[in-house]
Amino acid sequence: MNAIFRRELRAYFTSMTAYVFIAFILLFSGIYTMAYNLNSAYPNFEYVLESMSVIFLIAIPILTMRVIAEERRQKTDQLLYALPIGMTRVVLGKYLAMITVVAIPCVIMAFYPLMLSAFGEVSLLTAYGTLLAFFLLSCTLSAIGLLISSLTENQAVAAGLCFVVMLLLYFMGDLSSFVSDSSSASLSALMVAVLLLALGIRLLTRSTPAAIITLVVGEALLLLFDVLSPSSFEGLFGRIMNGLSVFERFYTFVGGVFDLSAVLYDLSVIGVSLFLAVQSMEKRRWNG
């Protein structure tokens, strides 16, 4: 795993990927810090991080698009499959190299609250709690991007799919507001969501039986719960969307609340994404 980690980290810095990502983050952190903290005289550095979360829509696809897709395109993934180690170590090595790159701008930004405190009173506890959540958010999105990269051999396709997924995650909470809180509306929205999930499974796994099982079981469970307790669907779709959104969970830290459940949720998403990336590579390994 150490060899994979060093190889990937070297690849990030021998190409322009790491430099572009770090410069992109620091550029916008400087712009927002100047706009919020210096020009507008707000002492809240967490507002800077909240506003910066939108740049992940572009930054994460840039960082993750080549991590596995490029290996598959150049057929160098065959060398990885031939290594006397499991795909778990390969994926972990690549992921650790990725979050090392992510950590660099976060470490640099850690000095911002200290510098701002020289000009006024800054809540360092809230600022650093939000910065930690910001780093965790970037790690979560990076894991999702790595998973997407493992599903294709085209960097452009990986970047495009990653951008779409990041966009959906970013606006997930807002999209739920377009659905009425009534039971029928929530039920309809959830049934559509199950249909989309089944289609996604079909596209990603190319397994029609898995997609059909997901669709039938999911729709049947929704209808069963609607019969047993129709009132439980009131506002359910909105609550689910807000609960699943990693961005909405990040925003709780901006309000000065250290949400342990958000930390556990992000770690769970990271674990599931890496597990699925391992399974994707294992499947390709044994299918030749």
Side-chain angles (χ1 to χ4, degrees):
M1 188 174 75
N2 290 334
I4 297 294
F5 169 77
R6 292 194 298 269
R7 172 180 176 269
E8 286 299 309
L9 195 59
R10 190 183 308 114
Y12 277 120
F13 285 97
T14 52
S15 66
M16 293 296 294
T17 304
Y19 299 106
V20 170
F21 178 83
I22 294 170
F24 194 69
I25 298 293
L26 293 180
L27 172 64
F28 279 89
S29 69
I31 292 173
Y32 281 117
T33 299
M34 181 179 296
Y36 283 101
N37 302 131
L38 300 181
N39 290 347
S40 300
Y42 287 120
N44 308 86
F45 181 68
E46 56 271 20
Y47 292 169
V48 172
L49 299 173
E50 179 184 23
S51 300
M52 282 180 60
S53 63
V54 68
I55 69 175
F56 284 138
L57 302 184
I58 298 175
I60 294 300
I62 290 174
L63 182 67
T64 63
M65 64 181 182
R66 57 157 295 277
V67 62
I68 296 178
E70 183 65 6
E71 299 269 16
R72 294 178 64 175
R73 187 186 69 82
Q74 295 183 349
K75 306 302 180 184
T76 53
D77 59 333
Q78 299 301 322
L79 299 176
L80 297 178
Y81 301 145
L83 292 175
I85 59 175
M87 289 299 101
T88 300
R89 293 188 178 185
V90 172
V91 170
L92 286 178
K94 287 177 172 289
Y95 180 66
L96 290 176
M98 188 185 304
I99 64 174
T100 299
V101 175
V102 168
I104 292 175
C106 291
V107 170
I108 295 174
M109 287 190 294
F111 293 98
Y112 290 12
L114 295 177
M115 291 186 291
L116 292 172
S117 63
F119 301 96
E121 185 177 350
V122 177
S123 176
L124 296 179
L125 190 62
T126 302
Y128 285 116
T130 307
L131 182 60
L132 175 62
F134 182 83
F135 172 68
L136 188 58
L137 173 64
S138 61
C139 291
T140 304
L141 298 178
S142 296
I144 295 172
L146 186 148
L147 169 60
I148 294 171
S149 182
S150 72
L151 301 174
T152 178
E153 61 183 31
N154 189 304
Q155 286 193 55
V157 172
L161 285 175
C162 189
F163 174 75
V164 171
V165 171
M166 297 298 115
L167 195 67
L168 289 174
L169 290 174
Y170 185 78
F171 288 108
M172 186 176 286
D174 295 329
L175 290 174
S176 64
S177 64
F178 291 98
V179 177
S180 170
D181 289 338
S182 66
S183 298
S184 58
S186 290
L187 176 62
S188 300
L190 289 172
M191 293 183 73
V192 171
V194 170
L195 174 61
L196 293 176
L197 176 62
L199 290 174
I201 291 175
R202 175 63 183 85
L203 292 173
L204 295 178
T205 66
R206 297 182 181 180
S207 173
T208 301
I212 293 175
I213 291 173
T214 301
L215 178 63
V216 172
V217 173
E219 302 289 11
L221 287 175
L222 288 175
L223 292 174
L224 177 62
F225 280 113
D226 183 52
V227 172
L228 296 177
S229 179
S231 61
S232 62
F233 281 91
E234 293 182 2
L236 180 60
F237 182 74
R239 293 195 300 272
I240 290 177
M241 290 298 101
N242 286 325
L244 292 177
S245 173
V246 291
F247 284 95
E248 292 295 331
R249 289 177 176 269
F250 164 68
Y251 297 149
T252 61
F253 289 86
V254 179
V257 177
F258 189 87
D259 189 355
L260 183 59
S261 65
V263 175
L264 295 176
Y265 177 72
D266 285 344
L267 293 176
S268 299
V269 173
I270 291 172
V272 170
S273 298
L274 296 182
F275 171 78
L276 293 177
V278 170
Q279 299 311 306
S280 174
M281 294 192 69
E282 286 285 5
K283 181 179 179 181
R284 183 172 175 82
R285 180 185 194 180
W286 296 113
N287 289 344

